[in-house]
Amino acid sequence: MSDGEMPRAAPTLRERKKLRTRRALVSEALRRFTERGFAETTLDEVVEAVEVSQRTFFRNFASKEAVALAPEQELWAAYTAVFAGLPPGGTAQSDYREALLAAVLAMDEGWAARFRACRALAERTPALAGHSLRDCAETTDRVLELAAARHPVARPEDAVRQRLLLELMLSAWRWAVHDWLLAGAPGAGTADGGAETADRGAGAAGDDVDDVDARAELVARTRRALALLPGVAALAADA
């Protein structure tokens, strides 16, 4: 924390209850979507299992798609927030990269398992894949707006370069996530295991360690994917 920052206030009891309800809905939805299928699972089944009303569900999520993709949306929100708070002095490329990696490492306990279940589900559910791409595109636009203030450009083509740079980086991120899923990241398990781990909530101390390991492994795979980008740029230059 810098000298000028105010300490973050602890969440109130009401906020903690709301967060627990939200996480329970995400965990139960991902578990059921994974076991039975996204289209085959109804919201009635999810809210009944969590013992809340549909009204409570819609206070937290706009749709079935939103609850299924909640772990990814949490990451995009964190990415935008971290990017907005970066200290000055970095390049656009380093800002894009370091904000994303920092956001992954800062996610809360249990997030890696929920994210793994979410992404495994999205990769085999076309409707969710489309929503996921839209969410990524909206995040790209928000980050580019912030980048324009941090790294002003004089020519329109330079703005295009900034967009292409971010989109290329996010393509590397998507490949790293896919590779992480296939490899079975530490602490994440299978898609079923991911949903079960998410259902346990914060879990025991060992679960927290596994989740940290899973996030660290995802960051390592992302760094390896990003390291390939100069070679990709060279191939494009030769085309």
Side-chain angles (χ1 to χ4, degrees):
M1 180 183 301
S2 66
D3 293 340
E5 288 183 10
M6 296 294 292
R8 184 178 299 175
T12 64
L13 177 61
R14 181 177 180 180
E15 290 169 339
R16 294 198 300 273
K17 286 182 176 179
K18 183 176 180 179
L19 180 59
R20 283 197 298 270
T21 298
R22 181 182 174 88
R23 287 183 178 170
L25 285 167
V26 172
S27 298
E28 184 63 26
L30 287 172
R31 185 182 70 80
R32 288 176 179 267
F33 295 159
T34 296
E35 292 177 354
R36 298 188 54 207
F38 178 74
E40 291 76 13
T41 302
T42 67
L43 285 183
D44 283 337
E45 293 168 338
V46 174
V47 298
E48 182 178 349
V50 181
E51 298 183 332
V52 298
S53 65
Q54 283 212 11
R55 182 180 179 183
T56 296
F57 176 91
F58 284 112
R59 279 202 297 262
N60 286 276
F61 303 102
S63 63
K64 277 176 66 177
E65 290 81 5
V67 71
L69 296 173
E72 185 170 71
Q73 292 169 342
E74 291 166 9
L75 175 64
W76 291 143
Y79 178 34
T80 305
V82 171
F83 189 93
L86 286 174
T91 64
Q93 181 177 359
S94 66
D95 286 351
Y96 294 154
R97 179 186 65 242
E98 296 308 318
L100 178 59
L101 301 181
V104 172
L105 292 174
M107 300 308 290
D108 59 33
E109 67 273 7
W111 174 84
R114 297 192 298 272
F115 181 64
R116 189 176 199 281
C118 156
R119 287 307 313 158
L121 185 65
E123 289 199 1
R124 65 176 184 269
T125 309
L128 288 178
H131 279 269
S132 176
L133 289 173
R134 183 200 64 190
D135 292 341
C136 184
E138 291 175 353
T139 300
T140 298
D141 289 341
R142 288 194 295 271
V143 170
L144 286 170
E145 288 177 4
L146 294 169
R150 294 175 60 85
H151 306 284
V153 296
R155 299 176 301 172
E157 55 266 35
D158 291 332
V160 174
R161 289 190 183 95
Q162 283 201 356
R163 173 174 286 276
L164 292 176
L165 178 62
L166 178 55
E167 290 183 348
L168 188 60
M169 193 206 77
L170 291 175
S171 292
W173 157 256
R174 285 190 290 271
W175 181 88
V177 170
H178 179 73
D179 186 51
W180 181 70
L181 292 176
L182 291 179
T190 63
D192 288 343
E196 290 168 1
T197 302
D199 190 48
R200 290 198 296 267
D207 293 333
D208 294 350
V209 172
D210 286 345
D211 190 83
V212 170
D213 289 346
R215 283 180 277 137
E217 177 63 20
L218 178 53
V219 165
R221 290 178 185 273
T222 302
R223 287 194 183 277
R224 289 197 290 271
L226 293 174
L228 300 174
L229 292 185
V232 173
L235 288 174
D238 292 340

